[in-house]
Amino acid sequence: MEFNGCFSSCNRLQDDNDLKFLLKGSLLLKVKSSSWRKERFYKLQEDCKTIWQESRKMLRSPESQLFSIEDIRDVRPGHKTEGMEKYAQDVPENRCFSIIFKDQRKNLDLIASSESDANHWTAGLKKIITHSSSMNQKQKLQHWIHTCLRKADKNKDNKMSFKELKNFMKEVNIQVDDSYAKEIFQQCDKSNTEALEDDEIESFYKILTERKEIDRIFSKYTSEKEPMSCDRLVQFLQEEQQKEDAGPETALSLIERYEPSEAAKKQMTMTKDGFLMYLLSSDGDIFNSSHGKVYQDMTHPLNHYLVSSSHNTYLMEDQLRGPSSTEAYIRALTKGCRCVELDCWDGPNSEPIIYHGYTFTSKILFSDVIKAIKNYAFKTSPYPVIISLENHCSLEQQKKMAEHMKDILQDMLVMAPVDGNISNFPSPEQLKGKILVKGKKLNRLEDTAGANGNNNHVEAEYVSDEDEAAEIEDEVVKKEIEQTEKSDKLTLAKELSDTVIYCRSVHFTGFEESRQSQAFYEMSSFVESKGLRLAQESGTDFIHHNVKYLSRIYPAGWRTDSSNYNPVDFWNVGCQIVALNFQTPGNEMDLYQGRFQDNGFSGYILKPEFLRDVDTTFNPKSIVEGTWWTQKKLVVKIISGQQLPKVNKGKNSIVDPRVTVEIYGVQQDSDKKQTRVIENNGFNPTWDEEFEFNIDVPALALVRFMVEDFDVSTKNDFIGQYTLPFTSLQQGYRHIHLLNRNGDPHPSATLFVHIRIQDNY
């Protein structure tokens, strides 16, 4: 069921040998354990977007045997996953590969019958993934509709009957009454054959994807049925998009990039199709594309930045029984995380292990985690990674930890003050490609620099930083702790102590005590409840503390389900290392991803000047005039939605979407407003509703757009969201490309909005 303009991922790769092999399919060995290794047939479907996998399970639905190329995060050749390292060492690496998924699904570890077959699979999948990610929004829409058309064509005759058309409408998430569906059908059925084919399907596609709201904007700047001239495009950019410096050069570059008609390009004009392509592109996105690169000054001291940080990084699920995995570190690091946590305990064969102490979470080798950090630390960002050690090991295994870090990380590991500086933190720029260790330390930084420390061990004074596991509020854990002979002192090996340079863990006793006696390289960790109390009761003191020192916040012990707290309150007082459970999706991780997509997804965000000033009087709980007081009025118009995905996969389920716009920041800026519910239309709902928000401290504000499927009787189902800093908003007509619950993009789901920002003095 092809139609003109329909895009297929296979089209441009149709002569590729790797793709031909995948379309034909092959037998692969699926590996689950040392005793489970079974032959299964895998095949790329004709849509080049899904893989069919053979299953021997009884009563398994056809849909469950498919997975989408969109769901693949990575394809790794060789023994590059825990499963392959454990269960496939007897097979040559050149026959092995693994498929890593974006969500919480387990890796798919596979063995091909030959090196050639393995190469076809890894190369072919990577080509399709690359090709798919380079598709523009219109191509994604065309491909998605084409896939739905194929699915609706039950008898595979490349025609669409009226019944198939109605099924298709449900498939794309829009409910229409029979009379309207019949009207569209008859309008397109020029041949009067009671079936649509070829050009008739093309006509149906055009009716279906018509964007009347775009037509109205376009017609405002053009004569009837004429393309938009270069001058009129400049006018649109200046008046609507608030690009005051836009001139003919800017307009011509947009025409060159997004105009599909060569004739229009030659005339230096933009057609309606080109205009839509521009609005769906990164240039038409709500997020300022210049903030997608590192644009902030990266030469300030390390403590002047917010740092993307993970708590209990080794866990894939909950805090009590979930699996520990090196894959969790890889996922966190590739999401831009710059501070990871290692909970270290004595393991068998004199090898330290990592797991959540006193619980039933599984165990992984310390050395394997350090290898994973080395391999993935700088894939997403070149800026420094902090290894936060929670050390419960014996003296001998501590020495082993130090040995592994030195041997594996080598020059990456910071083992001495940078450029001999012992009076202030180095900058992220100076620490590019470097790894720091946070933990207990025997001597002062000055002693390390002078190599004067000669004690082999000493008892650490406090255990609070070193035994967060003991804070878990679970009866089984509490009994386990009671039965363990536990000292509140720790014997620390000099070898491990020497790996700690700029992040020495110390117990927090009070802001005044810190001012008088704490060295700049000493830092404290605060459980969320204590940190929140300090932020609320002593906000300005906490900010002053964070101007000089690093602070780390971690989740409360009762969060055994790995839930998260709201990080915004801690960012508002300048806390740098606000650690969340990266494995748990939700509002909190949405805010986290929104904050750290800024500055090129580098994992480092420069704090506003008023959070770096030693004399600041800023207090987020009591806003008075100051440099932070730059009042703005944000006017948001929610115009329409496009291709919102079905939440309930039931055949007759159609979503009833509602949009919520939320502001997160200082308390008086926090706000939330909602549109009305649009019933039975997830394909192209229209709201045309406008909201106003007053924002006093825009430097700390985040804006979140969230779409739900409204339900009168039960909890609303989450459809998608997008969060970004207020300072990264682009004005004018903008598309918002929605993210799913795990923070990955929906293939074609968008909101169309208009943004206006005004001074509010």
Side-chain angles (χ1 to χ4, degrees):
M1 190 179 285
E2 298 291 337
F3 58 92
N4 295 333
C6 177
F7 181 87
S8 169
S9 294
C10 296
N11 284 354
R12 297 180 200 173
L13 298 172
Q14 58 189 352
D15 295 324
D16 185 90
N17 287 330
D18 293 323
L19 201 69
K20 286 179 180 177
F21 181 88
L22 268 59
L23 287 165
K24 187 178 177 183
S26 74
L27 285 168
L28 297 168
L29 279 176
K30 183 177 179 179
V31 181
K32 282 189 176 180
S33 69
S34 54
S35 59
W36 200 104
R37 187 185 288 183
K38 297 183 180 179
E39 202 171 58
R40 295 287 185 263
F41 189 78
Y42 289 82
K43 180 182 183 297
L44 177 67
Q45 300 294 88
E46 289 178 19
D47 63 1
C48 288
K49 296 289 279 183
T50 47
I51 302 284
W52 182 83
Q53 53 184 339
E54 177 189 8
S55 175
R56 306 283 171 85
K57 288 183 180 177
M58 297 289 288
L59 304 176
R60 188 164 182 180
S61 67
E63 288 79 12
S64 67
Q65 292 182 252
L66 298 171
F67 62 85
S68 172
I69 296 290
E70 297 278 354
D71 295 335
I72 298 175
R73 186 179 299 282
D74 193 14
V75 181
R76 294 185 202 150
H79 300 151
K80 297 288 176 57
T81 63
E82 285 178 76
M84 281 302 199
E85 285 181 4
K86 286 181 183 176
Y87 311 128
Q89 287 296 329
D90 59 317
V91 181
E93 277 204 78
N94 58 25
R95 285 175 49 204
C96 300
F97 67 98
S98 301
I99 293 173
I100 316 301
F101 294 102
K102 289 178 180 176
D103 52 25
Q104 303 299 321
R105 262 182 291 182
K106 291 180 180 176
N107 301 336
L108 183 56
D109 293 323
L110 300 165
I111 299 171
S113 57
S114 68
E115 179 182 356
S116 173
D117 284 8
N119 288 340
H120 279 311
W121 275 102
T122 55
L125 287 173
K126 285 183 177 180
K127 285 173 187 174
I128 298 169
I129 292 166
T130 301
H131 192 60
S132 178
S133 62
S134 68
M135 288 165 64
N136 63 45
Q137 199 69 18
K138 190 171 182 182
Q139 289 170 329
K140 287 179 182 177
L141 168 61
Q142 288 176 332
H143 184 81
W144 177 68
I145 288 178
H146 175 64
T147 303
C148 292
L149 283 168
R150 286 167 55 87
K151 198 170 180 181
D153 183 18
K154 298 295 183 185
N155 60 2
K156 307 302 176 192
D157 63 354
N158 288 327
K159 298 177 183 178
M160 188 161 61
S161 66
F162 178 63
K163 183 180 179 182
E164 287 173 334
L165 179 137
K166 289 202 297 179
N167 287 336
F168 168 78
M169 298 294 251
K170 287 178 182 174
E171 194 64 43
V172 298
N173 214 358
I174 181 169
Q175 182 168 303
V176 295
D177 59 39
D178 282 1
S179 60
Y180 180 63
K182 195 73 176 175
E183 184 184 327
I184 296 176
F185 187 82
Q186 289 172 343
Q187 186 179 338
C188 298
D189 185 19
K190 307 290 187 188
S191 58
N192 295 316
T193 58
E194 294 298 315
L196 305 185
E197 51 187 312
D198 301 329
D199 290 346
E200 294 170 340
I201 294 176
E202 170 79 2
S203 299
F204 169 71
Y205 166 77
K206 284 182 175 175
I207 291 171
L208 192 69
T209 57
E210 188 177 25
R211 295 280 303 272
K212 290 181 180 177
E213 72 276 35
I214 304 290
D215 294 349
R216 285 193 292 271
I217 301 164
F218 188 78
S219 63
K220 183 180 173 183
Y221 290 88
T222 59
S223 305
E224 191 163 336
K225 294 190 178 178
E226 290 292 316
M228 190 183 292
S229 68
C230 181
D231 288 344
R232 296 290 270 169
L233 180 54
V234 170
Q235 186 184 352
F236 169 78
L237 293 172
Q238 291 178 346
E239 291 179 356
E240 300 289 358
Q241 308 299 74
Q242 298 298 303
K243 298 287 186 184
E244 294 174 4
D245 56 349
E249 192 176 321
T250 307
L252 287 172
S253 74
L254 293 177
I255 290 169
E256 185 59 37
R257 260 178 287 168
Y258 303 116
E259 177 51 55
S261 165
E262 290 300 323
K265 277 185 183 179
K266 286 178 183 175
Q267 294 173 352
M268 294 185 290
T269 59
M270 182 175 268
T271 63
K272 196 188 298 180
D273 278 348
F275 187 63
L276 177 58
M277 294 273 277
Y278 152 66
L279 287 174
L280 284 167
S281 74
S282 59
D283 285 305
D285 197 273
I286 193 170
F287 179 73
N288 187 337
S289 59
S290 68
H291 290 192
K293 300 171 185 174
V294 174
Y295 68 95
Q296 295 177 345
D297 184 352
M298 301 303 283
T299 62
H300 285 262
L302 191 71
N303 60 317
H304 283 192
Y305 298 83
L306 305 180
V307 184
S308 178
S309 307
S310 162
H311 172 250
N312 288 355
T313 315
Y314 45 89
L315 292 178
M316 298 287 281
E317 295 171 12
D318 65 79
Q319 309 279 311
L320 297 176
R321 291 173 177 80
S324 303
S325 172
T326 56
E327 195 61 46
Y329 286 90
I330 295 169
R331 290 184 181 186
L333 290 166
T334 52
K335 282 185 176 180
C337 179
R338 299 290 85 191
C339 179
V340 294
E341 186 177 0
L342 282 66
D343 198 345
C344 309
W345 300 77
D346 279 358
N349 306 316
S350 300
E351 283 293 342
I353 55 173
I354 291 173
Y355 82 111
H356 204 24
Y358 317 112
T359 70
F360 298 103
T361 57
S362 62
K363 302 170 176 66
I364 49 178
L365 286 174
F366 177 85
S367 59
D368 285 345
V369 170
I370 299 301
K371 287 173 189 172
I373 292 171
K374 178 191 177 182
N375 291 333
Y376 289 89
F378 305 110
K379 296 273 189 188
T380 299
S381 167
Y383 293 102
V385 167
I386 300 169
I387 293 176
S388 179
L389 291 181
E390 192 171 318
N391 171 24
H392 307 273
C393 290
S394 63
L395 204 60
E396 289 309 309
Q397 295 213 13
Q398 288 179 44
K399 292 176 182 177
K400 197 72 175 176
M401 288 164 61
E403 181 185 322
H404 282 317
M405 286 194 286
K406 291 175 192 173
D407 289 348
I408 295 167
L409 300 177
Q410 298 184 346
D411 290 345
M412 288 182 179
L413 186 65
V414 174
M415 289 291 294
V418 175
D419 298 333
N421 183 358
I422 56 172
S423 60
N424 203 355
F425 285 103
S427 69
E429 191 66 31
Q430 288 175 291
L431 291 167
K432 267 186 173 178
K434 295 295 184 181
I435 293 174
L436 305 172
V437 176
K438 170 197 166 291
K440 293 290 186 182
K441 187 170 179 64
L442 300 178
N443 46 13
R444 299 176 304 164
L445 185 62
E446 300 89 315
D447 299 330
T448 303
N452 295 325
N454 52 17
N455 290 337
N456 283 326
H457 63 273
V458 72
E459 287 191 317
E461 295 178 10
Y462 298 99
V463 75
S464 57
D465 275 3
E466 297 292 350
D467 202 5
E468 290 166 20
E471 298 175 20
I472 288 184
E473 294 180 18
D474 179 80
E475 290 306 314
V476 176
V477 171
K478 286 178 180 176
K479 284 180 183 175
E480 181 73 21
I481 294 168
E482 286 169 8
Q483 292 169 8
T484 305
E485 283 191 26
K486 197 167 175 304
S487 168
D488 61 353
K489 305 277 184 175
L490 175 75
T491 304
L492 183 64
K494 179 180 182 298
E495 290 85 346
L496 187 59
S497 167
D498 286 348
T499 65
V500 177
I501 303 299
Y502 288 115
C503 302
R504 181 188 192 182
S505 297
V506 296
H507 186 68
F508 177 78
T509 53
F511 292 126
E512 185 57 39
E513 291 84 349
S514 294
R515 273 194 292 272
Q516 291 179 6
S517 60
Q518 189 170 326
F520 80 90
Y521 54 85
E522 294 178 327
M523 62 175 291
S524 300
S525 292
F526 305 85
V527 67
E528 61 174 283
S529 53
K530 183 176 182 180
L532 191 58
R533 179 171 54 79
L534 290 171
Q536 290 174 337
E537 296 175 2
S538 312
T540 306
D541 285 337
F542 211 167
I543 290 168
H544 286 157
H545 180 85
N546 291 326
V547 169
K548 187 173 182 182
Y549 310 109
L550 287 169
S551 290
R552 173 175 168 269
I553 310 293
Y554 62 93
W558 59 264
R559 295 186 184 275
T560 55
D561 59 350
S562 292
S563 60
N564 281 311
Y565 56 87
N566 185 340
V568 173
D569 290 322
F570 301 104
W571 291 332
N572 287 348
V573 291
C575 294
Q576 301 89 346
I577 300 176
V578 180
L580 293 195
N581 292 304
F582 269 48
Q583 73 273 29
T584 307
N587 293 16
E588 298 81 12
M589 276 307 298
D590 293 344
L591 295 172
Y592 217 85
Q593 186 169 351
R595 169 58 72 197
F596 283 102
Q597 72 170 313
D598 194 10
N599 201 32
F601 205 53
S602 63
Y604 284 85
I605 303 292
L606 183 64
K607 294 193 283 187
E609 186 275 334
F610 57 83
L611 292 181
R612 310 192 311 262
D613 179 6
V614 292
D615 298 318
T616 188
T617 57
F618 177 71
N619 184 341
K621 295 296 175 187
S622 177
I623 304 296
V624 294
E625 287 194 21
T627 57
W628 50 85
W629 185 275
T630 51
Q631 294 171 295
K632 300 289 181 183
K633 178 182 283 186
L634 171 64
V635 184
V636 177
K637 186 175 186 180
I638 305 295
I639 301 171
S640 60
Q642 295 76 40
Q643 293 83 60
L644 304 178
K646 293 173 81 167
V647 179
N648 184 334
K649 298 299 182 183
K651 185 177 179 182
N652 294 313
S653 170
I654 308 291
V655 303
D656 304 319
R658 178 174 71 184
V659 181
T660 302
V661 185
E662 299 170 300
I663 307 295
Y664 291 84
V666 298
Q667 190 170 329
Q668 67 192 54
D669 286 347
S670 298
D671 202 354
K672 177 170 82 170
K673 292 177 181 175
Q674 294 179 321
T675 66
R676 69 188 187 281
V677 176
I678 303 292
E679 293 187 354
N680 293 323
N681 187 352
F683 184 74
N684 56 2
T686 298
W687 289 277
D688 276 328
E689 293 186 53
E690 190 169 276
F691 306 115
E692 290 187 1
F693 300 91
N694 294 314
I695 298 174
D696 291 337
V697 189
L700 297 179
L702 292 163
V703 186
R704 182 171 185 256
F705 299 85
M706 194 256 294
V707 188
E708 294 176 298
D709 180 11
F710 179 76
D711 197 305
V712 176
S713 57
T714 61
K715 185 181 177 183
N716 297 339
D717 289 317
F718 174 88
I719 293 175
Q721 69 84 34
Y722 188 78
T723 306
L724 75 166
F726 177 89
T727 52
S728 295
L729 283 169
Q730 291 213 96
Q731 296 191 69
Y733 289 103
R734 301 290 170 183
H735 277 97
I736 298 171
H737 297 264
L738 295 173
L739 306 177
N740 64 21
R741 180 52 87 191
N742 291 308
D744 296 310
H746 279 301
S748 54
T750 54
L751 291 177
F752 186 52
V753 301
H754 186 272
I755 303 293
R756 193 165 73 253
I757 298 171
Q758 303 167 337
D759 289 333
N760 200 22
Y761 303 134

